[in-house]
Amino acid sequence: MQTILVFRTTKLECWSRKFAGIQAFARTRDWRLQTIDCTNGTIQVAPLLDFWHPAGCIIESDGASTNIHPRDFGDLPTVFLDHSPELVHQGASVVRHDSAEIARLAARELLERDFAAYAVIGWHHPVYWAQDKIDAFQKALALHGRSAEVFQPSDSEKDDITGLQRRLQKWLLKLPRPCGIFGVNDLICEIALSAATALDISVPEDLAFVGADDDPLICETTIPSLTSVQPDFFRTGFAAGELLDERLTDPTHPPRLYVVPPLQLVRRLSSRLFQRSDPVVKKALARIEREATAGLTAHQVLADFPCSRRQAEIRFRAATGRSVLEEIQNVRFIRALELVHDSSIALGAIADRSGWPSSLVLSRYVRQRTGKTLSQLRKEGAAVATTL
């Protein structure tokens, strides 16, 4: 059994989904994975390699804060996950997300609402993925005769959130309204959204926000909840295993870049414009987002309306274009798709964990929406090489 070291450099929630993908591939090769936690500071690579004698290494990295480089591993096969494609020229294979496509999905969401103005918020460090998103977002807008104002946080503001929010508030107040804003990740978008709500700016009517990474710890706890593009973290982990296996099987195999497209845009209240403003409907939508996967029923939602059930249904559909039940099912469907990509979760357990009354009901709904079974969707998620 070969030992593979997996270096973890982020504390973000997405780590679990990346690692699930790595584990899924490792099981096909009978690898033993040893995780090295690098989230608390600098680590020494050479002593770790001497201690474990690994066959290869996967380095999960944000591409900005890590102090780990391909040269630290010598001739040992390595794959960098979520890192600069430039590392391919330094002898390491690289798996990265399609940052440009993430930005295009965000641009499409905002352009569909035909705002008067658009803006994009960058990241503190001049990292490749942030600049790729800014460039792609601006190009998408240019195709439609629009432009985007850019807000660039400074390096020092990463540790000075108060100072960053003050500068963001001044910037937000100067933006034409209504304005659609894309934040290159959920972290920076959350700060901007918080700055807007502190100013009592109406979201999404005056300022609409779209982030990236779909981190539920952020997106589902902001007020209002944050729309975000969901990358395929599971697939990037699986792909990292594939690239490492190429090098282990054939040491002469050249390192290469593997780009993974995003899964989808998950629409929440920060960008969802209604056909007419209805605070009761907004409250109902927020409750559905919070409780749909915990067994919430349409009857419970409709009971919150100060009118008859029939009038409540008419009111909800007029504002959202969906019935209450359809909205609940959509939230559950999105959660079920997330769980399908986690091979550590049995298919039979997905219905219960995503709020469906039974596996049969979920299966019928999934087939209706996708034309495929849960099993087929899982196999497609695992077949990384054939889908990219």
Side-chain angles (χ1 to χ4, degrees), residues 65-83:
S65 60
T66 181
N67 67 318
I68 305 174
H69 304 279
R71 62 177 178 270
D72 297 327
F73 299 88
D75 295 329
L76 190 69
T78 57
V79 175
F80 279 73
L81 177 56
D82 285 342
H83 212 298

Side-chain angles (χ1 to χ4, degrees), residues 61-266:
S61 168
D62 63 7
S65 60
T66 181
N67 67 318
I68 305 174
H69 304 279
R71 62 177 178 270
D72 297 327
F73 299 88
D75 295 329
L76 190 69
T78 57
V79 175
F80 279 73
L81 177 56
D82 285 342
H83 212 298
S84 169
E86 293 299 318
L87 293 192
V88 173
H89 303 301
Q90 301 179 34
S93 289
V94 175
V95 179
R96 61 165 293 189
H97 295 285
D98 191 339
S99 300
E101 182 59 23
I102 289 172
R104 285 190 285 268
L105 283 178
R108 190 175 300 122
E109 168 73 2
L110 296 171
L111 283 165
E112 285 178 355
R113 282 140 186 80
D114 195 27
F115 289 107
Y118 299 87
V120 58
I121 304 172
W123 189 237
H124 303 278
H125 306 290
V127 290
Y128 75 94
W129 54 263
Q131 193 57 53
D132 283 354
K133 289 176 182 177
I134 293 172
D135 292 344
F137 187 76
Q138 290 179 312
K139 288 178 181 177
L141 292 177
L143 285 174
H144 298 81
R146 305 296 184 90
S147 61
E149 184 170 339
V150 180
F151 180 94
Q152 185 61 55
S154 67
D155 281 351
S156 62
E157 286 173 330
K158 189 171 185 180
D159 298 317
D160 182 16
I161 302 301
T162 301
L164 174 59
Q165 283 212 329
R166 286 175 181 157
R167 194 160 70 91
L168 271 167
Q169 287 180 338
K170 293 179 181 179
W171 179 71
L172 292 172
L173 286 171
K174 294 179 181 179
L175 291 176
R177 301 181 197 175
C179 181
I181 302 173
F182 171 49
V184 295
N185 63 20
D186 292 335
L187 291 170
I188 198 67
C189 208
E190 175 193 27
I191 296 171
L193 178 56
S194 176
T197 54
L199 293 169
D200 290 325
I201 297 175
S202 181
V203 178
E205 289 80 7
D206 289 333
L207 298 179
F209 291 85
V210 176
D213 290 347
D214 192 41
D215 186 333
L217 296 178
I218 296 175
C219 298
E220 295 175 8
T221 58
T222 58
I223 301 176
S225 56
L226 179 62
T227 295
S228 185
V229 180
Q230 183 183 71
D232 196 340
F233 292 113
F234 178 89
R235 184 171 293 185
T236 56
F238 194 96
E242 278 207 324
L243 293 193
L244 183 60
D245 187 56
E246 287 181 350
R247 306 293 299 280
L248 295 176
T249 303
D250 179 9
T252 65
H253 195 291
R256 66 187 180 101
L257 172 65
Y258 215 122
V259 181
V260 180
L263 280 174
Q264 61 184 338
L265 180 136
V266 180

